[in-house]
Amino acid sequence: MHTIAITPTRPAIVLWFRHDLRLHDHEALTVALQDEAAVVLVYCVDPRHYAALNLGVPKTGAFRARFLLESLADLRASCQARGGDLVVRVGEPERVLPELAATVGARSVYCHRDAAPEEASVERAVAQSLRRIGVAMRTFAGHTLVHADDLPFAVEALPDTFSQYRNRVERRVDIRVPLPTPQSLSLFAVDAGELPTIGSLGLIEPTSDVRELFRFRGGETAGRDRLQVWMWDADRLRTYKTTRNGLLLTDDSSKLSPWLAHGCLSPRLVYAEVRRYERERVRNADTDWLVFELLWRDYFRLVLERWGARLFAAGGLNGLPYPWRRLGDGGVRDDFDRWTTGQTGFPLVDAAMIELAATGYTSNRARQNVASFLTRVLGIDWRLGAAWFESLLVDYDVASNWGNWAYVSGVGNDARGFRFFNVLKQAREYDPNGDFARHWLSARDGNDPLPMVDLFAAADASALTYERAVAKLPAAQGVVTRR
Ligand code: FAD
């Protein structure tokens, strides 16, 4: 138990950590400390995040839970090194935070706000329960590269396509410099609480797979290490654009996503390092491309903020009446299970799904292919795939996951584009020697299952169905593109 002396002469502020598990570039924390209050730092392990989805898998699977617990342990150590501590409670924030605020005599709770509907509704419930005891809640924008206050348009006027969005922000916005890490924190006479274990969350500790090439370790310290190793020591930013579509090798892309998703790294810190790299090493299309991807990340957050719950509808943002096959329909459960277990008979898809199940990660190119396969080839409701990813991904981020799924499925922003990834052609292009497939499918010894569908017949049927669905939309302007 960690108990410490309170400083009763100063008014307290409770700082509620959410997807921002870091001390650097933390606006809510910085402002709380500037307000000259003693700050009580807390994280609530919300049991709702570990409930089962209707697919029968937990909303947060073991890989992400492990990463989160490691991140909390690291954050606690960093707080302790600065004279403070991290209070950890298992419970709903709307119950935990008023209790804690009352215990420490806090006058307000600060946090970074989250636009996702579930998170926003928890935030409203917290604000309401705090109001009842006379405690204020103050929220900040802390997740994006471009600060929300610097956007050159209101969220309601978010450009429809990423390119338009990017042009506008690149021309008009200066990215803010990351805020410094505080040097000292205060201690309170509160039981800091033990961190839960994976088992206490109802999950089974992941076993390490011999094929795993990179183990993601949670926490700000490990995130900074990864940034240092990939960008500077291995010097991989200079070739990022060329290698980022690689399927197998760890350093082909930055692998920063879990740290960004949990907020262990601020995108502005990554940006600042890119600009420093450009000054000290090289500036080229590859260095620019990492910023481009961080802008995609921002864009999906804005799409979610702009459209809210519509992003989770079967027809997506435009209500496209695509007749998805649903879980209760004949044969869908079997087809879905073949997809999740890597038994489709298409090596690129199978290898990626096996990698995902074994590690909680697969590359962007692989994600695009498996998502396209589920939705375009099998015609299965894209939301089942997104929910499967939600459970498994170590880097799950509600906006990036559901936004990318909707996009690949032709129901997102920039909809009305039929996207079909020909998994055979993609394998020839991105896995020309079959290294990725061999690595993840080695146990099969060449005995691959037979292809579960006729790829081209399925894709043609899907294209036709898609065009018909688009034609039902008002002012339809279907664009058919194939990659
Ligand atoms: P890098 O190529 O090194 O990119 C650097 C950073 O830019 C990433 O860490 C990420 O934060 C951001 N980024 C890159 N590509 C995208 C993208 N397409 N959309 C949004 N941000 C991007 N990313 C998540 O962080 N969480 C998710 O839940 C998620 N789900 C996805 C689901 C599908 C179906 C698809 C197609 C993509 C998804 N992505 C998601 C985006 C992307 O696949 C991952 O961010 C990327 O693979 C992470 O590896 P990396 O850090 O090496 O990426």
Side-chain angles (χ1 to χ4, degrees):
M1 184 156 103
H2 320 258
T3 44
I4 329 91
I6 196 164
T7 333
T9 48
R10 297 161 74 195
I13 290 178
V14 172
L15 190 286
W16 174 27
F17 280 105
R18 306 174 79 194
H19 299 293
D20 49 3
L21 304 177
R22 63 175 182 269
L23 293 182
H24 72 274
D25 198 30
H26 199 293
E27 188 175 337
L29 176 60
T30 306
V31 176
L33 292 168
Q34 278 164 2
D35 286 351
E36 288 194 87
V39 182
V40 188
L41 310 162
V42 61
Y43 182 87
C44 306
V45 181
D46 189 335
R48 291 170 294 208
H49 294 169
Y50 302 87
L53 298 170
N54 57 4
L55 285 171
V57 289
K59 196 170 164 60
T60 303
F63 295 114
R64 192 159 72 259
R66 179 176 67 184
F67 190 94
L68 170 74
L69 296 178
E70 289 168 351
S71 300
L72 293 175
D74 182 64
L75 185 59
R76 175 170 274 179
S78 300
C79 293
Q80 289 171 349
R82 287 164 179 78
D85 208 342
L86 176 70
V87 175
V88 175
R89 293 281 182 273
V90 177
E92 292 83 6
E94 59 271 33
R95 187 178 56 74
V96 169
L97 293 169
E99 271 171 28
L100 183 65
T103 308
V104 299
R107 56 182 175 145
S108 37
V109 172
Y110 287 9
C111 69
H112 284 133
R113 62 181 162 268
D114 217 317
E118 278 173 17
E119 281 75 359
S121 97
V122 170
E123 214 168 283
R124 282 193 299 276
V126 169
Q128 208 173 28
S129 60
L130 289 172
R131 227 177 359 254
R132 275 192 225 114
I133 58 163
V135 175
M137 176 145 147
R138 188 165 167 202
T139 66
F140 299 82
H143 298 297
T144 46
L145 178 63
V146 176
H147 194 284
D149 295 345
D150 300 339
L151 282 173
F153 45 77
V155 170
E156 296 69 40
L158 176 70
D160 286 338
T161 66
F162 171 72
S163 307
Q164 291 162 357
Y165 158 79
R166 181 180 159 223
N167 285 338
R168 291 193 61 185
V169 294
E170 277 187 345
R171 265 189 286 119
R172 304 254 207 99
V173 179
D174 287 329
I175 305 298
R176 296 186 184 190
V177 175
L179 297 163
T181 301
Q183 293 307 305
S184 66
L185 298 165
S186 358
L187 280 175
F188 281 79
V190 205
D191 177 7
E194 296 297 328
L195 287 180
T197 59
I198 300 243
S200 72
L201 297 172
L203 301 167
I204 297 166
E205 183 80 40
T207 49
S208 62
D209 190 294
V210 287
R211 296 164 295 184
E212 184 179 64
L213 297 179
F214 182 66
R215 154 83 154 87
F216 293 98
R217 269 174 224 289
E220 181 175 352
T221 311
R224 281 178 175 271
D225 282 353
R226 173 65 193 161
L227 187 58
Q228 170 68 32
V229 167
W230 179 76
M231 192 180 286
W232 296 97
D233 304 349
D235 203 18
R236 294 303 298 262
L237 181 56
R238 65 173 67 235
T239 52
Y240 168 68
K241 187 176 179 214
T242 325
T243 60
R244 59 179 281 276
N245 279 307
L247 297 165
L248 182 62
L249 301 178
T250 303
D251 287 347
D252 279 349
S253 64
S254 74
K255 303 291 183 290
L256 292 175
S257 54
W259 291 285
L260 286 163
H262 288 77
C264 303
L265 285 180
S266 152
R268 285 194 281 267
L269 177 71
V270 178
Y271 177 86
E273 286 296 285
V274 172
R275 294 304 180 224
R276 183 163 77 88
Y277 182 94
E278 289 175 337
R279 286 192 304 275
E280 295 180 14
R281 300 251 169 111
V282 63
R283 177 170 189 175
N284 59 19
D286 302 74
T287 59
D288 267 352
W289 208 266
L290 190 62
V291 178
F292 175 90
E293 293 300 344
L294 292 175
L295 286 173
W296 258 116
R297 178 178 174 276
D298 272 17
Y299 185 64
F300 281 123
R301 282 184 179 262
L302 291 167
V303 166
L304 179 58
E305 203 172 329
R306 160 93 177 79
W307 295 99
R310 270 174 79 167
L311 180 60
F312 306 90
L317 302 184
N318 291 327
L320 187 80
Y322 191 90
W324 298 112
R325 296 170 68 212
R326 304 284 169 90
L327 206 52
D329 298 346
V332 172
R333 183 83 233 194
D334 284 351
D335 287 355
F336 186 70
D337 289 348
R338 288 185 72 165
W339 179 77
T340 58
T341 54
Q343 296 289 329
T344 68
F346 292 91
L348 172 55
V349 175
D350 291 354
M353 293 307 290
I354 287 170
E355 180 189 19
L356 177 65
T359 67
Y361 180 89
T362 191
S363 68
N364 185 59
R365 180 59 48 178
R367 292 181 203 200
Q368 290 173 321
N369 274 280
V370 300
S372 171
F373 189 85
L374 184 80
T375 55
R376 292 276 82 100
V377 178
L378 300 181
I380 293 180
D381 188 343
W382 65 279
R383 297 172 305 170
L384 294 176
W388 185 255
F389 270 38
E390 174 167 354
S391 179
L392 279 173
L393 282 178
V394 65
D395 64 13
Y396 173 72
D397 164 313
V398 55
S400 294
N401 187 58
W402 290 80
N404 271 290
W405 267 97
Y407 186 84
V408 175
S409 314
V411 298
N413 58 288
D414 189 18
R416 300 179 177 173
F418 179 80
R419 293 190 178 80
F420 168 65
F421 287 75
N422 175 339
V423 293
L424 298 175
K425 188 161 165 266
Q426 292 269 313
R428 274 200 301 280
E429 193 168 343
Y430 296 103
D431 191 26
N433 304 317
D435 294 342
F436 174 66
R438 246 194 324 278
H439 184 81
W440 286 102
L441 304 176
S442 53
R444 284 188 180 162
D445 221 7
N447 294 318
D448 290 311
L450 289 173
M452 66 185 284
V453 280
D454 176 336
L455 187 69
F456 299 104
D460 284 343
S462 170
L464 196 64
T465 314
Y466 188 84
E467 279 164 32
R468 286 192 184 131
V470 168
K472 289 184 191 156
L473 286 175
Q477 338 153 347
V479 182
V480 179
T481 53
R482 286 201 177 196
R483 338 190 201 172

